Amino acid sequence: MLLPVDITLGVVLALLLAAAATVAALASLGRSREILLAGLRAAAQLAAVSLLIGWVVRSLPPLLAFVALMYAVAVWTAGRRITRNRTWWWVALPIGAGVAPVVALLLLTGLVQARGIALIPVTGILIGGALTATVLGGRRALDELTTRRGEVEAGMALGLLDRDARLEIARPAAADALLPGLDQTRTVGLVTLPGAFVGMLLGGASPVQAGAVQLFVLVALMAVQAVAVAVVLELVARGRLHRDSGAPERRRGDGRLGRGRRGRRGRRGRRSPGIG
C-alpha cells in the first residue's frame, strides 16, 4: 500500500489544502476559494466513485452510463471555463473528436475490453487530457483575439476572410495548450514517474508491462490533445465559440467605448462581395 488510509492522511491532506489556499490568498492570485472547493469536491467525488465502482463494472449499461457521465461533466467544466454564454456547449465537439476515435481503436483492436474495469480509467485519462487541452487552447485563443483585436481587423481589411484572420492571430497561442503534454512525455522516466506506471507496479505488473502501459497513455494523450486543440481553434476562428462583448472587453483604456460587433459587421459588409 502506497499510503495508509487513516486519520494521519486526512490531517495531511487538510494541511496541504489549507496551505495551497493560503498561498494563493497571500499572493493575491484570486483562486483561494476555488482551491478549497476543488479539494472538498474531489474528496466527495472520489469517495462516491470508490463506493460505486464495484457495481458499475458488473454490467455494460451502467458502465457506459458512467463513461457518458464523465464526458458530460468534462464538457460542462470546459465549456463554462472558456465562456459564460450559450456557446459553451460547442466544447463537446473537441473533447468528443479527440477521445472517441482513440477509445474506438482500443475497443476494436481488443487492447481494452468493453466489459471490465479497464475502460473507465483509460477513458477517464483521455477525457481529462482532452478537457485540459480544450480549456487551455480555447481560453488562450479567445484571450489573444481580444488583446489583438486590431490586428484581426487589419487582416480583414486586407482581404482575409474572418476565419483566416482569426486563425493567424489565435493559432500560436492555442498551440501552447500542447506544451504540458509534450513536456510530460519528454521527461517521463527522468523527472516523473506518472500515475499509470506507478499504479501498474503497485498492482503487481512487471516494470516492462508498466512502462508499455504508460507509453501508450502518453502517446494516446498527445493524439487526443492535438485533435482537441485543432478543433477548438477552428470553432473559435469560425465564431462558433466566443465570448460576449461585455464592458471590460469593449472599453478602451482612455474610457471610450471601442467598436462593438455591429461596427465590425458593418465594415465587413462594405467590402467587395467576394470577400467574407
Side-chain angles (χ1 to χ4, degrees):
M1 182 181 296
L2 182 62
L3 291 174
V5 182
D6 54 20
I7 188 63
T8 303
L9 177 61
V11 172
V12 172
L13 286 174
L15 290 175
L16 289 174
L17 184 59
T22 301
V23 170
L26 293 176
S28 300
L29 301 180
R31 302 288 184 182
S32 300
R33 184 173 179 273
E34 290 185 45
I35 290 174
L36 289 174
L37 291 178
L40 295 175
R41 177 175 172 175
Q45 290 172 179
L46 287 173
V49 170
S50 300
L51 295 174
L52 293 175
I53 196 69
W55 172 78
V56 167
V57 299
R58 290 178 183 174
S59 60
L60 190 58
L63 188 148
L64 295 179
F66 190 82
V67 171
L69 176 63
M70 290 193 294
Y71 174 69
V73 172
V75 170
W76 169 263
T77 302
R80 303 303 288 176
R81 182 66 70 179
I82 294 174
T83 181
R84 292 291 180 177
N85 61 32
R86 288 181 290 180
T87 65
W88 66 268
W89 63 270
W90 277 101
V91 302
L93 191 56
I95 295 177
V99 174
V102 176
V103 174
L105 178 63
L106 294 177
L107 294 175
L108 291 175
T109 57
L111 290 176
V112 174
Q113 300 297 320
R115 296 179 180 272
I117 197 171
L119 182 62
I120 292 179
V122 170
T123 307
I125 291 172
L126 298 179
I127 291 176
L131 184 156
T132 301
T134 300
V135 170
L136 291 177
R139 286 178 63 91
R140 289 297 305 274
L142 290 174
D143 289 345
E144 199 75 357
L145 291 179
T146 299
T147 303
R148 302 171 62 184
R149 183 170 55 192
E151 295 177 52
V152 176
E153 295 182 349
M156 291 189 291
L158 292 174
L160 290 177
L161 297 176
D162 293 6
R163 169 189 174 274
D164 297 335
R166 296 189 187 105
L167 275 178
E168 287 297 319
I169 300 301
R171 184 185 287 116
D176 286 348
L178 299 176
L179 292 179
L182 288 173
D183 290 341
Q184 183 183 27
T185 304
R186 288 170 177 165
T187 60
V188 64
L190 299 176
V191 178
T192 61
L193 293 177
F197 182 84
V198 175
M200 290 286 292
L201 289 179
L202 293 176
S206 69
V208 174
Q209 289 176 317
V213 171
Q214 185 60 67
L215 178 61
F216 158 74
V217 169
L218 292 174
V219 174
L221 276 175
M222 286 195 295
V224 167
Q225 292 178 339
V227 172
V229 171
V231 174
V232 77
L233 175 61
E234 188 68 27
L235 291 174
V236 171
R238 291 179 179 272
R240 297 291 186 268
L241 188 63
H242 61 81
R243 292 174 182 157
D244 292 332
S245 298
E249 295 182 359
R250 296 177 59 186
R251 189 173 295 277
R252 300 172 180 168
D254 58 5
R256 294 178 297 165
L257 288 177
R259 295 187 188 91
R261 191 172 299 165
R262 182 179 302 173
R264 292 197 299 274
R265 287 179 179 172
R267 188 172 65 231
R268 288 202 299 270
R270 292 195 295 271
R271 295 206 304 266
S272 61
I275 298 176

